[in-house]
Amino acid sequence: RVVLSDGSSFHIQVTSPRPLLRLAIDPRNSPVWLPALKDMLLMGAKDGELSKFKKRFSEPQNPEPPKLEDSVTNALETKSVPETQETAKNLLFDFGALTKSSLTDSEQFGSELGNFKSRRAPKVVEREAVVKYEPTHFRDSLLALIPEDIDLEKFWFVIEQNAEKLEYKRYGEPFFELFIVGGLLAPGGNVVDDGARRLPHSIFEGDVSEIKAKIEAIGKLTRRYKYLQRKLEDTLSHLLQYVNKFGENTEKLSTAVGYLITSTSVNCAILSNLIKDHLVKDGVSLQFVTNIFKVYLEEQSIDHLASILRKSGIDEKLLDFFPPNKRQEEYLARHFEAEGLNSLVQYYKKRQQGFLKETVKLELKDMFENGKDSKEIVTYAKQQLSANSWNEPEFITLVWDAMITAVDWGTRPDQVDAMLLKQLNVIEELIIYETETATPP
């Protein structure tokens, strides 16, 4: 059943499950079928919601100010005729004031209505107050809390309890400069000398034997306040560039850095800051890292040291700490053996041998892939074996690995067999060579 807008209805057959359909717009009330209805709707819209909206929010026209003659006429009509000349003068003065007042009020009224939108309150943007960065003020505040004769336990209690008050997160680098050097550093690595006293229990104050206890305390502080670890690394990276200016305190700083690296409080990669020309040529960098390695091997094994050197990339830069004219393996071995670091020398030699074997393996792989003659491959392998004094079984394994990696296992089986047979001839010749040149027991 379909019900039209005028209430009439009729029935049709449809597939819709709805039993009743009411039409709001149909040919009896739509302007499309009834053009005359469109004009009626437009006329009714004048008093509708749209007209109310326009009437309320449309910008009114500025009313014209009253003319001077009209103001005077209205004033004469409302006032009595003056009887004396003095009264007439006063009346003319009143007419002028009335006219001026009418013009002023009219202009103000029109200005207020015309500039309705511009009278909105401006948006106020609040800005955070910029606090000046004052390391000297931080130093003075810290020294005010710590007496000169304070013991180490109370010293660290004051340090931990005033972390938020002294804003360690903001002044982390000045804090560690005070903790290590005892004062603030000026540009160039010199300590600021403005009459302030030095911080008690700093690294540079006291004996080398006391450094380990101080480093353990600073480790607890960095584990409690995680953001201080990055500040500590940044401070040390800055200090390591001026180790040549610390004199006898250089050993104390290297000992502290060694303990910090051992406890994983800082990354070993900060040692790259010692690779500076003015530090390397005088041997300062070499002596500094040597002392660090000594401290580390007193606490950990050579395998542990090798691991952190490899992760930080320092293992590839060990020769860079030596002066340019001594960057050879023999000088490295001679220096570290004289310092009692034989395990470090063995590690370095083993690493260099591994790097050399990998290079030879890649060269053999290229020769296999490029189809070089078996005699050429065997000749190159014999040269490398005799030049490096390698163990024969290990070298045969190296050649085998290079051969296997050179085979393209994705090709057809008959081609794989042919390549393997060709390359196995190389292995056979090497084994024969080793058998003939082997020294009898």
Side-chain angles (χ1 to χ4, degrees):
R1 182 185 175 189
V2 180
V3 180
L4 301 178
S5 59
D6 59 352
S8 60
S9 63
F10 59 92
H11 291 82
I12 59 174
Q13 293 182 355
V14 295
T15 58
S16 174
R18 298 172 56 185
L20 180 64
L21 177 63
R22 294 184 180 275
L23 299 179
I25 299 177
D26 53 31
R28 302 189 180 188
N29 64 352
S30 175
V32 177
W33 282 275
L34 299 175
L37 186 60
K38 185 185 296 185
D39 299 334
M40 295 175 62
L41 291 174
L42 292 175
M43 292 176 62
K46 294 181 179 180
D47 297 328
E49 297 296 330
L50 182 60
S51 62
K52 294 180 181 179
F53 178 84
K54 291 182 178 180
K55 183 178 180 181
R56 181 176 180 182
F57 294 102
S58 60
E59 199 170 292
Q61 300 293 332
N62 294 337
E64 296 183 359
K67 297 181 180 180
L68 180 62
E69 296 84 298
D70 296 339
S71 300
V72 174
T73 304
N74 294 336
L76 290 174
E77 292 177 354
T78 55
K79 290 182 176 291
S80 58
V81 179
E83 296 179 356
T84 61
Q85 187 176 2
E86 188 67 25
T87 305
K89 292 181 179 181
N90 294 336
L91 183 60
L92 290 174
F93 175 79
D94 291 341
F95 292 162
L98 178 62
T99 305
K100 183 178 181 180
S101 175
S102 301
L103 289 172
T104 304
D105 293 342
S106 176
E107 291 175 358
Q108 183 177 0
F109 175 75
S111 176
E112 289 181 357
L113 291 178
N115 302 327
F116 175 75
K117 295 182 180 179
S118 64
R119 293 180 59 188
R120 296 178 181 176
K123 185 177 181 181
V124 179
V125 180
E126 297 183 359
R127 296 183 178 179
E128 297 182 359
V130 178
V131 181
K132 189 177 181 180
Y133 183 74
E134 297 179 343
T136 55
H137 177 70
F138 167 79
R139 178 200 60 189
D140 297 339
S141 301
L142 179 61
L143 292 176
L145 298 173
I146 300 176
E148 294 186 11
D149 56 347
I150 190 173
D151 57 23
L152 185 60
E153 183 178 355
K154 292 182 180 179
F155 171 80
W156 283 110
F157 177 79
V158 174
I159 292 294
E160 292 181 2
Q161 293 299 317
N162 293 276
E164 301 296 334
K165 178 181 177 182
L166 296 176
E167 297 183 275
Y168 290 166
K169 190 171 185 179
R170 178 177 173 83
Y171 294 100
E173 295 181 16
F175 168 72
F176 285 117
E177 287 181 2
L178 291 167
F179 170 73
I180 296 173
V181 182
L184 297 177
L185 283 186
N190 297 318
V191 181
V192 175
D193 187 11
D194 56 355
R197 62 185 176 92
R198 298 297 179 89
L199 182 70
H201 303 292
S202 63
I203 296 296
F204 284 6
E205 181 184 348
D207 192 62
V208 178
S209 59
E210 302 174 358
I211 294 178
K212 186 175 181 180
K214 297 176 182 178
I215 295 301
E216 290 176 353
I218 204 66
K220 294 179 182 178
L221 187 66
T222 54
R223 286 191 294 271
R224 181 175 178 180
Y225 302 102
K226 299 295 184 181
Y227 56 84
L228 286 178
Q229 184 173 1
R230 181 60 182 273
K231 300 290 185 180
L232 177 59
E233 291 184 354
D234 293 342
T235 304
L236 288 174
S237 299
H238 179 66
L239 290 175
L240 293 182
Q241 302 179 45
Y242 307 109
V243 292
N244 58 329
K245 297 188 177 182
F246 297 145
E248 60 182 10
N249 292 320
T250 303
E251 182 183 358
K252 297 179 182 179
L253 179 59
S254 63
T255 304
V257 174
Y259 284 124
L260 287 170
I261 295 176
T262 305
S263 61
T264 65
S265 296
V266 296
N267 195 319
C268 188
I270 63 171
L271 299 181
S272 300
N273 294 279
L274 291 169
I275 306 177
K276 307 291 183 183
D277 292 339
H278 66 284
L279 301 176
V280 171
K281 67 179 182 179
D282 297 332
V284 179
S285 298
L286 180 59
Q287 192 58 42
F288 196 92
V289 296
T290 301
N291 193 34
I292 290 176
F293 294 152
K294 285 182 178 180
V295 173
Y296 197 98
L297 291 176
E298 289 176 0
E299 303 291 327
Q300 300 289 348
S301 64
I302 184 61
D303 294 334
H304 200 276
L305 176 60
S307 175
I308 67 164
L309 290 178
R310 183 173 58 256
K311 291 179 180 178
S312 60
I314 299 297
D315 60 339
E316 301 177 357
K317 303 177 182 179
L318 285 178
L319 286 177
D320 294 339
F321 294 103
F322 288 78
N325 59 339
K326 295 183 179 180
R327 290 179 181 175
Q328 299 176 11
E329 185 177 344
E330 58 176 323
Y331 285 105
L332 183 144
R334 191 185 307 168
H335 170 76
F336 286 126
E337 286 175 355
E339 296 289 341
L341 299 174
N342 296 325
S343 57
L344 183 60
V345 175
Q346 295 299 324
Y347 156 74
Y348 184 80
K349 289 182 177 180
K350 184 178 179 181
R351 178 187 176 277
Q352 292 300 103
Q353 286 293 323
F355 179 76
L356 183 58
K357 286 182 179 180
E358 191 65 26
T359 304
V360 173
K361 179 180 176 180
L362 292 175
E363 183 64 25
L364 288 171
K365 178 177 176 292
D366 292 339
M367 295 176 74
F368 281 124
E369 289 178 343
N370 296 328
K372 297 290 184 181
D373 186 66
S374 59
K375 291 183 179 180
E376 184 179 353
I377 298 176
V378 170
T379 302
Y380 174 77
K382 290 177 181 179
Q383 291 175 354
Q384 296 298 324
L385 180 60
S386 60
N388 297 291
S389 302
W390 285 335
N391 189 354
E392 291 83 356
E394 292 181 357
F395 187 70
I396 294 296
T397 304
L398 185 146
V399 177
W400 176 267
D401 292 340
M403 182 194 72
I404 293 299
T405 54
V407 175
D408 185 8
W409 299 97
T411 58
R412 294 185 305 177
D414 55 342
Q415 295 179 352
V416 173
D417 294 341
M419 286 187 293
L420 283 176
L421 288 174
K422 179 181 178 181
Q423 296 174 3
L424 284 174
N425 293 332
V426 177
I427 300 294
E428 181 182 0
E429 293 184 23
L430 285 174
I431 295 174
I432 294 173
Y433 170 76
E434 291 298 328
T435 304
E436 294 176 351
T437 58
T439 305

